[in-house]
Amino acid sequence: QVQLVESGGGLVQAGGSLRLSCAASGSIISINDMGWYRQAPGKQRELVAAIARGGSTNYPDSVKDRFTISRDNAKNTVYLQMNSLKPEDTAVYYCNANVLLAFGSSWSRYWGQGTQVTVSS
């Protein structure tokens, strides 16, 4: 099986920065796209940033120019650098990975357990 373990969340003042990390472990052959999502109370889970294995990235307008996603393929790890944080960025942040566990099998998506990010005004 696959485990995605997130770290780096916490409490920060508006305008501050945080860096989230998510490490994937298990019998992994390869990881395709990876991403970060967030879910605030009473709201649907939404995409925050995505990165392909080759490094191309995708962001919604709400975080563009403030958040940067990166990955280390050798470590099966994805990062999210969050700058100029706003109170509306407060949410539980989840990482997601599209994983191949065996040659000839299908790709499967896995989720981390989530890490809380709270931005105070």
Side-chain angles (χ1 to χ4, degrees), residues 18-113:
L18 282 174
R19 187 183 192 227
L20 306 182
S21 300
C22 172
S25 62
S27 301
I28 297 170
I29 299 296
S30 182
I31 300 178
N32 198 349
D33 54 288
M34 304 182 81
W36 288 95
Y37 291 72
R38 68 186 179 189
Q39 188 166 20
K43 294 189 177 181
Q44 288 189 333
R45 190 172 297 189
E46 62 176 356
L47 176 69
V48 175
I51 185 166
R53 182 169 181 82
S56 60
T57 58
N58 180 40
Y59 305 93
D61 289 343
S62 58
V63 306
K64 200 172 290 183
D65 300 327
R66 299 190 298 123
F67 290 10
T68 302
I69 189 171
S70 60
R71 63 189 288 173
D72 184 332
N73 290 332
K75 296 181 179 179
N76 288 337
T77 299
V78 63
Y79 306 95
L80 184 68
Q81 178 67 44
M82 305 185 292
N83 299 327
S84 303
L85 282 161
K86 305 175 181 180
E88 51 264 42
D89 294 318
T90 296
V92 178
Y93 284 69
Y94 299 89
C95 72
N96 175 274
N98 194 13
V99 178
L100 185 67
L101 295 179
F103 291 110
S105 67
S106 57
W107 294 83
S108 299
R109 290 200 172 274
Y110 292 87
W111 291 91
Q113 81 285 356

